[in-house]
Amino acid sequence: MLEINNDSMFTLSNNIFLQKIEELNKYWVFNIETGEHYSLNETSYWILEQITANISVKSMLRDFIDTYDVDEKQAKNDLDKTINKFLEEKIIEM
């Protein structure tokens, strides 16, 4: 697992497209080259939205704590785990 530091910045991979139907609580990520797609929960989608807005991990962590009312240790663990999964699946890149 890659250690994610607070100054890290990520971007969506070029072949990735996000889609949501908020009123139905449905969120997806599509790879437009391979046709692969993944269903996301609201939190994972929120993280990807932050990445598309070029938000640093430090700012993302602070906003995550405020948005989801979790303690800092849990928020950092959740962010690290989710970001690592997105890196592994090549949804995002450094």
Side-chain angles (χ1 to χ4, degrees):
M1 184 176 199
L2 176 68
E3 179 69 29
I4 308 296
N5 85 36
N6 285 341
D7 296 323
S8 296
M9 296 288 292
F10 300 94
T11 59
L12 281 183
S13 297
N14 289 333
N15 56 335
I16 296 299
F17 176 76
L18 300 176
Q19 178 68 43
K20 72 178 174 179
I21 303 176
E22 200 161 3
E23 50 276 354
L24 297 177
N25 292 321
K26 300 287 183 180
Y27 309 90
W28 300 273
V29 61
F30 295 93
N31 182 320
I32 58 176
E33 287 180 5
T34 66
E36 288 181 292
H37 62 282
Y38 306 90
S39 290
L40 302 171
N41 62 26
E42 178 185 345
T43 307
S44 295
Y45 189 86
W46 182 90
I47 292 168
L48 289 174
E49 283 186 313
Q50 302 305 300
I51 289 170
T52 62
N54 295 317
I55 304 294
S56 70
V57 170
K58 181 178 182 177
S59 294
M60 198 183 312
L61 178 61
R62 187 178 54 245
D63 293 345
F64 189 88
I65 292 166
D66 292 342
T67 301
Y68 293 102
D69 194 30
V70 294
D71 66 65
E72 186 172 352
K73 183 178 179 182
Q74 182 64 50
K76 177 73 171 138
N77 184 51
D78 290 350
L79 274 176
D80 285 357
K81 192 165 91 174
T82 302
I83 288 171
N84 271 291
K85 183 67 173 169
F86 289 153
L87 286 166
E88 179 183 311
E89 297 294 332
K90 297 183 178 15
I91 294 169
I92 62 173
E93 52 195 39
M94 293 185 96

